[in-house]
Amino acid sequence: MDTIKKIPVPICGVALGCAALGNLLQSYSDTLRVFCGVLSAAFMLLFIIKVVVYPKQFFEDMKKPIMASVSGTFSMTLMLLSTYIKAYLGAGDVAFIVWVIAIVLHIALIAYFTMVFMFGLKLKAVHASYYIVYVGIAVAAVTAPVYEATAVGAVAFWFGLATFAVLFMLVTARYIKCPDVPQPAQPLICIYAAPMSLCVAGYVQSVTPKNSIFLLCMFAVASAIYLFALVQLVRCLKLSFYPSYAAFTFPFVISAIASKMTAACLLNMGTPLPWLTPIVTIETVIAVLSVAYSYVRYLVYLGK
């Protein structure tokens, strides 16, 4: 029970990274996708057990802005894992219900977080994890085609993009004006890589018709932020282990997915960019290494 009690909310972020990694690697091996899905589901199950056994601790965590914002990775992971359920368990109706529940949970989180933490906001309390709450709903745009619900996906994309524009100014102002960040929260800055890349993937998946110039502009912004986050990753790897290591996973996976989807989309639109191929490969390797490293560090942490 000690192991269950110490399971932190950010473990859902690692589960999210694993589920997304499975989608990234599917073109190489369907077996790898299944393996990543199992790893993701295992961490999700541990977290659910933690909430059931120690609900008071969970509700206490939800009173803290960082933990509350990071909790959004739970519903994001559910959206992704629902596609695994449909693909490998043949339970389309169950998968769709899980997907809808996940979206409802995320919308509820947006409402809760806005009411509790965004009114009377103090800049020093803001962290990159705030992106998860608002832009995280764009996972619905990435997964919507599986359920032939691209209209829902398009709404999720535009909401995610709009909130990213606002949050980018807010979060960046926080790190510039209040640069002192407690060490346990420092890895969260890597989340910067996720929101625009997630919007790129959501745009490719759910928005029609597509505009190649608009896509390239979003991809350029995502790539610039990715490079910034990569530098932060190298710096943060020197820190001791903290549950916030979860920030090393999904942001780098979704960035690789965004690059891969952009290349494929532009090819289909008749404007191929061959130089993106090696970039996709490099980003995929970085994604695999970052997820594997974080997952192992979590296993070591839970095993102590």
Side-chain angles (χ1 to χ4, degrees), residues 192-193 197 220-234 252 255 279 282-283 286:
Y192 254 97
S197 291
V221 173
S223 298
I225 299 175
Y226 173 80
L227 291 175
F228 166 77
L230 197 58
V231 172
Q232 300 306 314
L233 171 65
V234 174
F252 297 99
S255 295
I279 291 177
I282 292 170
E283 290 185 353
I286 292 172

PDB file of all heavy atoms in Angstrom, residues 192-193 197 220-234 252 255 279 282-283 286:
ATOM      1  N   TYR A 192       6.226  23.353 -22.619  1.00  0.00           N
ATOM      2  CA  TYR A 192       6.143  24.361 -23.685  1.00  0.00           C
ATOM      3  C   TYR A 192       6.074  23.725 -25.077  1.00  0.00           C
ATOM      4  O   TYR A 192       5.439  24.252 -25.992  1.00  0.00           O
ATOM      5  CB  TYR A 192       7.372  25.268 -23.634  1.00  0.00           C
ATOM      6  CG  TYR A 192       7.107  26.653 -23.101  1.00  0.00           C
ATOM      7  CD1 TYR A 192       7.366  26.964 -21.766  1.00  0.00           C
ATOM      8  CD2 TYR A 192       6.617  27.659 -23.919  1.00  0.00           C
ATOM      9  CE1 TYR A 192       7.133  28.232 -21.270  1.00  0.00           C
ATOM     10  CE2 TYR A 192       6.384  28.940 -23.429  1.00  0.00           C
ATOM     11  CZ  TYR A 192       6.648  29.226 -22.101  1.00  0.00           C
ATOM     12  OH  TYR A 192       6.397  30.486 -21.621  1.00  0.00           O
ATOM     13  N   ALA A 193       6.751  22.584 -25.236  1.00  0.00           N
ATOM     14  CA  ALA A 193       6.820  21.949 -26.560  1.00  0.00           C
ATOM     15  C   ALA A 193       5.489  21.351 -26.996  1.00  0.00           C
ATOM     16  O   ALA A 193       5.287  21.098 -28.193  1.00  0.00           O
ATOM     17  CB  ALA A 193       7.895  20.859 -26.562  1.00  0.00           C
ATOM     18  N   SER A 197       2.348  21.965 -30.952  1.00  0.00           N
ATOM     19  CA  SER A 197       2.466  20.708 -31.696  1.00  0.00           C
ATOM     20  C   SER A 197       1.157  19.928 -31.644  1.00  0.00           C
ATOM     21  O   SER A 197       0.751  19.312 -32.632  1.00  0.00           O
ATOM     22  CB  SER A 197       3.608  19.856 -31.130  1.00  0.00           C
ATOM     23  OG  SER A 197       4.860  20.450 -31.400  1.00  0.00           O
ATOM     24  N   ALA A 220       6.053  26.034 -37.926  1.00  0.00           N
ATOM     25  CA  ALA A 220       7.256  26.823 -37.672  1.00  0.00           C
ATOM     26  C   ALA A 220       7.309  27.270 -36.210  1.00  0.00           C
ATOM     27  O   ALA A 220       8.360  27.191 -35.554  1.00  0.00           O
ATOM     28  CB  ALA A 220       7.294  28.038 -38.600  1.00  0.00           C
ATOM     29  N   VAL A 221       6.162  27.727 -35.692  1.00  0.00           N
ATOM     30  CA  VAL A 221       6.090  28.136 -34.284  1.00  0.00           C
ATOM     31  C   VAL A 221       6.352  26.936 -33.381  1.00  0.00           C
ATOM     32  O   VAL A 221       7.120  27.019 -32.410  1.00  0.00           O
ATOM     33  CB  VAL A 221       4.716  28.753 -33.967  1.00  0.00           C
ATOM     34  CG1 VAL A 221       4.576  29.015 -32.468  1.00  0.00           C
ATOM     35  CG2 VAL A 221       4.522  30.041 -34.746  1.00  0.00           C
ATOM     36  N   ALA A 222       5.725  25.800 -33.699  1.00  0.00           N
ATOM     37  CA  ALA A 222       5.906  24.576 -32.904  1.00  0.00           C
ATOM     38  C   ALA A 222       7.375  24.144 -32.893  1.00  0.00           C
ATOM     39  O   ALA A 222       7.896  23.720 -31.858  1.00  0.00           O
ATOM     40  CB  ALA A 222       5.028  23.459 -33.456  1.00  0.00           C
ATOM     41  N   SER A 223       8.039  24.257 -34.033  1.00  0.00           N
ATOM     42  CA  SER A 223       9.436  23.830 -34.145  1.00  0.00           C
ATOM     43  C   SER A 223      10.359  24.730 -33.329  1.00  0.00           C
ATOM     44  O   SER A 223      11.288  24.243 -32.666  1.00  0.00           O
ATOM     45  CB  SER A 223       9.875  23.841 -35.616  1.00  0.00           C
ATOM     46  OG  SER A 223       9.112  22.926 -36.368  1.00  0.00           O
ATOM     47  N   ALA A 224      10.092  26.031 -33.365  1.00  0.00           N
ATOM     48  CA  ALA A 224      10.909  26.962 -32.583  1.00  0.00           C
ATOM     49  C   ALA A 224      10.768  26.689 -31.086  1.00  0.00           C
ATOM     50  O   ALA A 224      11.762  26.672 -30.339  1.00  0.00           O
ATOM     51  CB  ALA A 224      10.505  28.397 -32.909  1.00  0.00           C
ATOM     52  N   ILE A 225       9.525  26.465 -30.653  1.00  0.00           N
ATOM     53  CA  ILE A 225       9.288  26.178 -29.240  1.00  0.00           C
ATOM     54  C   ILE A 225       9.891  24.823 -28.858  1.00  0.00           C
ATOM     55  O   ILE A 225      10.403  24.644 -27.748  1.00  0.00           O
ATOM     56  CB  ILE A 225       7.775  26.211 -28.926  1.00  0.00           C
ATOM     57  CG1 ILE A 225       7.208  27.603 -29.217  1.00  0.00           C
ATOM     58  CG2 ILE A 225       7.521  25.848 -27.462  1.00  0.00           C
ATOM     59  CD1 ILE A 225       5.703  27.701 -29.061  1.00  0.00           C
ATOM     60  N   TYR A 226       9.843  23.873 -29.779  1.00  0.00           N
ATOM     61  CA  TYR A 226      10.428  22.553 -29.530  1.00  0.00           C
ATOM     62  C   TYR A 226      11.916  22.669 -29.230  1.00  0.00           C
ATOM     63  O   TYR A 226      12.430  22.027 -28.302  1.00  0.00           O
ATOM     64  CB  TYR A 226      10.196  21.653 -30.744  1.00  0.00           C
ATOM     65  CG  TYR A 226      10.904  20.311 -30.670  1.00  0.00           C
ATOM     66  CD1 TYR A 226      10.371  19.258 -29.932  1.00  0.00           C
ATOM     67  CD2 TYR A 226      12.108  20.095 -31.346  1.00  0.00           C
ATOM     68  CE1 TYR A 226      11.016  18.032 -29.861  1.00  0.00           C
ATOM     69  CE2 TYR A 226      12.752  18.871 -31.283  1.00  0.00           C
ATOM     70  CZ  TYR A 226      12.202  17.840 -30.542  1.00  0.00           C
ATOM     71  OH  TYR A 226      12.851  16.627 -30.476  1.00  0.00           O
ATOM     72  N   LEU A 227      12.619  23.480 -30.016  1.00  0.00           N
ATOM     73  CA  LEU A 227      14.063  23.660 -29.800  1.00  0.00           C
ATOM     74  C   LEU A 227      14.330  24.279 -28.432  1.00  0.00           C
ATOM     75  O   LEU A 227      15.269  23.887 -27.729  1.00  0.00           O
ATOM     76  CB  LEU A 227      14.650  24.531 -30.911  1.00  0.00           C
ATOM     77  CG  LEU A 227      14.687  23.891 -32.304  1.00  0.00           C
ATOM     78  CD1 LEU A 227      15.180  24.897 -33.330  1.00  0.00           C
ATOM     79  CD2 LEU A 227      15.568  22.643 -32.312  1.00  0.00           C
ATOM     80  N   PHE A 228      13.489  25.240 -28.054  1.00  0.00           N
ATOM     81  CA  PHE A 228      13.613  25.843 -26.726  1.00  0.00           C
ATOM     82  C   PHE A 228      13.427  24.782 -25.641  1.00  0.00           C
ATOM     83  O   PHE A 228      14.213  24.701 -24.683  1.00  0.00           O
ATOM     84  CB  PHE A 228      12.561  26.945 -26.561  1.00  0.00           C
ATOM     85  CG  PHE A 228      12.365  27.397 -25.135  1.00  0.00           C
ATOM     86  CD1 PHE A 228      13.287  28.241 -24.533  1.00  0.00           C
ATOM     87  CD2 PHE A 228      11.267  26.968 -24.393  1.00  0.00           C
ATOM     88  CE1 PHE A 228      13.116  28.654 -23.212  1.00  0.00           C
ATOM     89  CE2 PHE A 228      11.091  27.371 -23.082  1.00  0.00           C
ATOM     90  CZ  PHE A 228      12.021  28.222 -22.492  1.00  0.00           C
ATOM     91  N   ALA A 229      12.391  23.953 -25.780  1.00  0.00           N
ATOM     92  CA  ALA A 229      12.101  22.914 -24.781  1.00  0.00           C
ATOM     93  C   ALA A 229      13.209  21.864 -24.734  1.00  0.00           C
ATOM     94  O   ALA A 229      13.516  21.318 -23.673  1.00  0.00           O
ATOM     95  CB  ALA A 229      10.765  22.253 -25.087  1.00  0.00           C
ATOM     96  N   LEU A 230      13.811  21.597 -25.884  1.00  0.00           N
ATOM     97  CA  LEU A 230      14.888  20.610 -25.942  1.00  0.00           C
ATOM     98  C   LEU A 230      16.090  21.077 -25.121  1.00  0.00           C
ATOM     99  O   LEU A 230      16.719  20.287 -24.406  1.00  0.00           O
ATOM    100  CB  LEU A 230      15.297  20.369 -27.395  1.00  0.00           C
ATOM    101  CG  LEU A 230      16.098  19.104 -27.705  1.00  0.00           C
ATOM    102  CD1 LEU A 230      15.335  17.854 -27.262  1.00  0.00           C
ATOM    103  CD2 LEU A 230      16.404  19.039 -29.204  1.00  0.00           C
ATOM    104  N   VAL A 231      16.389  22.363 -25.204  1.00  0.00           N
ATOM    105  CA  VAL A 231      17.469  22.937 -24.399  1.00  0.00           C
ATOM    106  C   VAL A 231      17.123  22.813 -22.916  1.00  0.00           C
ATOM    107  O   VAL A 231      17.976  22.470 -22.086  1.00  0.00           O
ATOM    108  CB  VAL A 231      17.700  24.416 -24.775  1.00  0.00           C
ATOM    109  CG1 VAL A 231      18.687  25.069 -23.806  1.00  0.00           C
ATOM    110  CG2 VAL A 231      18.218  24.523 -26.206  1.00  0.00           C
ATOM    111  N   GLN A 232      15.858  23.073 -22.584  1.00  0.00           N
ATOM    112  CA  GLN A 232      15.427  22.954 -21.190  1.00  0.00           C
ATOM    113  C   GLN A 232      15.490  21.507 -20.708  1.00  0.00           C
ATOM    114  O   GLN A 232      15.808  21.242 -19.540  1.00  0.00           O
ATOM    115  CB  GLN A 232      14.001  23.492 -21.040  1.00  0.00           C
ATOM    116  CG  GLN A 232      13.838  24.954 -21.415  1.00  0.00           C
ATOM    117  CD  GLN A 232      14.789  25.869 -20.684  1.00  0.00           C
ATOM    118  OE1 GLN A 232      14.970  25.763 -19.463  1.00  0.00           O
ATOM    119  NE2 GLN A 232      15.421  26.773 -21.425  1.00  0.00           N
ATOM    120  N   LEU A 233      15.193  20.572 -21.592  1.00  0.00           N
ATOM    121  CA  LEU A 233      15.271  19.148 -21.245  1.00  0.00           C
ATOM    122  C   LEU A 233      16.686  18.778 -20.825  1.00  0.00           C
ATOM    123  O   LEU A 233      16.893  18.113 -19.798  1.00  0.00           O
ATOM    124  CB  LEU A 233      14.837  18.292 -22.435  1.00  0.00           C
ATOM    125  CG  LEU A 233      15.071  16.775 -22.312  1.00  0.00           C
ATOM    126  CD1 LEU A 233      14.216  16.188 -21.189  1.00  0.00           C
ATOM    127  CD2 LEU A 233      14.763  16.077 -23.636  1.00  0.00           C
ATOM    128  N   VAL A 234      17.664  19.198 -21.609  1.00  0.00           N
ATOM    129  CA  VAL A 234      19.062  18.905 -21.297  1.00  0.00           C
ATOM    130  C   VAL A 234      19.437  19.473 -19.934  1.00  0.00           C
ATOM    131  O   VAL A 234      20.104  18.817 -19.123  1.00  0.00           O
ATOM    132  CB  VAL A 234      19.991  19.469 -22.393  1.00  0.00           C
ATOM    133  CG1 VAL A 234      21.460  19.299 -21.990  1.00  0.00           C
ATOM    134  CG2 VAL A 234      19.725  18.787 -23.729  1.00  0.00           C
ATOM    135  N   PHE A 252       7.568  15.867 -26.136  1.00  0.00           N
ATOM    136  CA  PHE A 252       8.517  15.503 -27.190  1.00  0.00           C
ATOM    137  C   PHE A 252       7.929  14.462 -28.148  1.00  0.00           C
ATOM    138  O   PHE A 252       8.300  14.405 -29.318  1.00  0.00           O
ATOM    139  CB  PHE A 252       9.829  15.028 -26.561  1.00  0.00           C
ATOM    140  CG  PHE A 252      10.488  16.125 -25.775  1.00  0.00           C
ATOM    141  CD1 PHE A 252      10.352  16.188 -24.398  1.00  0.00           C
ATOM    142  CD2 PHE A 252      11.179  17.135 -26.423  1.00  0.00           C
ATOM    143  CE1 PHE A 252      10.919  17.236 -23.675  1.00  0.00           C
ATOM    144  CE2 PHE A 252      11.746  18.187 -25.711  1.00  0.00           C
ATOM    145  CZ  PHE A 252      11.615  18.240 -24.336  1.00  0.00           C
ATOM    146  N   SER A 255       5.483  16.445 -30.447  1.00  0.00           N
ATOM    147  CA  SER A 255       6.261  17.248 -31.393  1.00  0.00           C
ATOM    148  C   SER A 255       6.683  16.398 -32.587  1.00  0.00           C
ATOM    149  O   SER A 255       6.610  16.844 -33.739  1.00  0.00           O
ATOM    150  CB  SER A 255       7.495  17.843 -30.702  1.00  0.00           C
ATOM    151  OG  SER A 255       7.116  18.763 -29.704  1.00  0.00           O
ATOM    152  N   ILE A 279      14.266  14.992 -39.963  1.00  0.00           N
ATOM    153  CA  ILE A 279      13.862  15.672 -38.727  1.00  0.00           C
ATOM    154  C   ILE A 279      12.884  14.800 -37.941  1.00  0.00           C
ATOM    155  O   ILE A 279      12.992  14.672 -36.716  1.00  0.00           O
ATOM    156  CB  ILE A 279      13.227  17.044 -39.051  1.00  0.00           C
ATOM    157  CG1 ILE A 279      14.292  18.002 -39.573  1.00  0.00           C
ATOM    158  CG2 ILE A 279      12.525  17.627 -37.825  1.00  0.00           C
ATOM    159  CD1 ILE A 279      13.768  19.353 -39.990  1.00  0.00           C
ATOM    160  N   ILE A 282      14.866  12.023 -36.211  1.00  0.00           N
ATOM    161  CA  ILE A 282      15.599  12.512 -35.036  1.00  0.00           C
ATOM    162  C   ILE A 282      14.645  12.763 -33.875  1.00  0.00           C
ATOM    163  O   ILE A 282      14.915  12.361 -32.730  1.00  0.00           O
ATOM    164  CB  ILE A 282      16.368  13.809 -35.384  1.00  0.00           C
ATOM    165  CG1 ILE A 282      17.494  13.502 -36.376  1.00  0.00           C
ATOM    166  CG2 ILE A 282      16.948  14.441 -34.117  1.00  0.00           C
ATOM    167  CD1 ILE A 282      18.140  14.742 -36.962  1.00  0.00           C
ATOM    168  N   GLU A 283      13.518  13.410 -34.164  1.00  0.00           N
ATOM    169  CA  GLU A 283      12.551  13.709 -33.105  1.00  0.00           C
ATOM    170  C   GLU A 283      11.936  12.430 -32.537  1.00  0.00           C
ATOM    171  O   GLU A 283      11.625  12.364 -31.350  1.00  0.00           O
ATOM    172  CB  GLU A 283      11.460  14.638 -33.638  1.00  0.00           C
ATOM    173  CG  GLU A 283      11.951  16.050 -33.918  1.00  0.00           C
ATOM    174  CD  GLU A 283      10.829  16.983 -34.337  1.00  0.00           C
ATOM    175  OE1 GLU A 283       9.685  16.513 -34.548  1.00  0.00           O
ATOM    176  OE2 GLU A 283      11.091  18.190 -34.459  1.00  0.00           O
ATOM    177  N   ILE A 286      14.455  10.957 -30.097  1.00  0.00           N
ATOM    178  CA  ILE A 286      14.435  11.743 -28.855  1.00  0.00           C
ATOM    179  C   ILE A 286      13.190  11.404 -28.032  1.00  0.00           C
ATOM    180  O   ILE A 286      13.259  11.250 -26.806  1.00  0.00           O
ATOM    181  CB  ILE A 286      14.465  13.253 -29.176  1.00  0.00           C
ATOM    182  CG1 ILE A 286      15.825  13.634 -29.768  1.00  0.00           C
ATOM    183  CG2 ILE A 286      14.182  14.081 -27.922  1.00  0.00           C
ATOM    184  CD1 ILE A 286      15.894  15.061 -30.287  1.00  0.00           C
TER     185      ILE A 286
END
